[in-house]
Amino acid sequence: VVWAMLKEIGVEGIQQRVVRHNDMAFYVEKFANEHSNLEVVNGASLSICCFRFVDPAIKNLNEFNRNLHRQLVRENTNMPSTTKVDGKLAIRPCFVGARTEIQQAYDLMDDVVRIGEKLLVEDVKSH
């Protein structure tokens, strides 16, 4: 597999891809750090950054973020995984696809905020 990639895009192409994917994770970290309803749970490491949606009105952050993740998956546009870090359920994008571009990181964060805000309104209404 590595040989085929080297043959297809070369060392420079692989380096550019790795840098692009890492930059996407750093964008996610920066966006989450700057947004009042997002919290970085585990900072950018290679092409991964773990974060979650937060608000003082949310009773169960893990359940809330699980529901947010499920909605992301249902929409079938951005499909990060989840993980637990120190007991906190986090959204875990890992950018590795050959055609993955920075716009996908932008779209993911926009979708997380949009869905999180919608779920927050619904959550507050139900309590």
Side-chain angles (χ1 to χ4, degrees), residues 34-49:
E34 293 175 355
H35 195 284
S36 61
N37 286 110
L38 297 177
E39 172 185 70
V40 174
V41 177
N42 197 15
S45 176
L46 297 176
S47 63
I48 299 169
C49 180

Side-chain angles (χ1 to χ4, degrees), residues 3-39:
W3 178 84
M5 283 181 59
L6 284 169
K7 194 81 168 144
E8 180 185 351
I9 62 175
V11 172
E12 190 175 311
I14 291 172
Q15 288 171 335
Q16 290 171 355
R17 187 178 294 175
V18 169
V19 167
R20 183 176 74 240
H21 294 160
N22 293 353
D23 286 348
M24 293 169 74
F26 284 111
Y27 167 78
V28 167
E29 180 179 38
K30 182 178 186 303
F31 186 98
N33 276 326
E34 293 175 355
H35 195 284
S36 61
N37 286 110
L38 297 177
E39 172 185 70

Side-chain angles (χ1 to χ4, degrees), residues 51 68-82 90-96 100 104-105 107-109 111-112 115:
F51 67 97
L68 193 159
H69 177 259
R70 285 180 181 151
Q71 184 60 41
L72 276 170
V73 171
R74 270 189 226 108
E75 290 184 4
N76 199 30
T77 303
N78 293 290
M79 298 184 62
S81 63
T82 60
I91 297 168
R92 181 190 177 273
C94 178
F95 303 103
V96 294
T100 305
Q104 289 168 294
D107 293 345
L108 170 65
M109 300 313 284
D111 287 350
V112 165
I115 292 167

